């Protein structure tokens, strides 16, 4: 499977179960691996692939407008967003919340999802 990746992307959103976490947006570190269409490199044409710059810009904009309690629901929301906006067949989303626990560098979650709209017929 061919894919693009965005690793170490920083984005801000309101997230957290506790009120003190939700006082202001937090900076998260997001790693994305996104499946490309089979013919993405065949014609050397940006229209035939997924533009990682557009993914980054659109996702940051979306997250700035949203709020979440759990990293798990945020990760699912990102996967759904990638499927809806960029029609990818598969995505891996890893979110790191740095510095939230004492003496722990980062906590996070990682999910992999297949787009139900792109599944091969049985």
């Amino acid at each position: 499977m061919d894919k693009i990746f965005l690793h170490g992307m920083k984005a801000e959103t309101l997230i957290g179960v506790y009120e003190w976490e939700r006082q202001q947006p937090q900076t998260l570190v997001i790693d994305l691996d996104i499946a490309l269409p089979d013919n993405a490199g065949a014609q050397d044409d940006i229209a035939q692939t997924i533009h990682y710059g557009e993914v980054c810009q659109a996702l940051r904009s979306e997250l700035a407008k949203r709020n979440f309690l759990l990293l798990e629901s945020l990760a699912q929301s990102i996967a759904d967003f990638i499927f809806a906006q960029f029609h990818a067949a598969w995505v891996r989303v890893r979110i790191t919340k740095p510095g939230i626990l004492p003496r722990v560098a980062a906590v996070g979650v990682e999910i992999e999802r297949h787009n139900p709209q792109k599944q091969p017929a049985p």
Side-chain angles (χ1 to χ4, degrees):
M1 169 181 10
D2 297 345
K3 56 189 171 183
I4 62 166
F5 65 89
L6 291 88
H7 290 176
M9 182 180 90
K10 293 183 179 175
E12 292 191 355
T13 195
L14 279 174
I15 187 159
V17 174
Y18 303 107
E19 187 60 36
W20 60 265
E21 291 181 285
R22 302 175 63 74
Q23 295 299 313
Q24 62 185 9
Q26 294 182 51
T27 301
L28 304 173
V29 180
I30 301 170
D31 297 332
L32 299 174
D33 296 294
I34 304 169
L36 291 173
D38 289 337
N39 64 345
Q43 297 179 20
D44 203 23
D45 180 1
I46 192 72
Q48 302 300 314
T49 191
I50 296 174
H51 191 304
Y52 50 80
E54 290 179 3
V55 171
C56 186
Q57 181 179 17
L59 186 56
R60 281 184 177 143
S61 177
E62 180 70 10
L63 294 181
K65 297 183 273 186
R66 306 274 313 272
N67 67 81
F68 303 89
L69 296 176
L70 302 175
L71 287 175
E72 293 84 346
S73 57
L74 170 58
Q76 183 63 54
S77 178
I78 290 172
D80 293 342
F81 181 80
I82 298 298
F83 294 151
Q85 297 298 313
F86 299 97
H87 313 291
W90 170 89
V91 65
R92 177 184 295 132
V93 179
R94 181 175 193 211
I95 305 169
T96 304
K97 194 174 184 181
I100 199 69
L101 292 177
R103 298 174 33 176
V104 176
V107 299
V109 65
E110 180 176 286
I111 66 169
E112 289 186 35
R113 297 291 185 265
H114 291 274
N115 187 341
Q117 303 293 317
K118 298 278 188 170
Q119 291 296 311

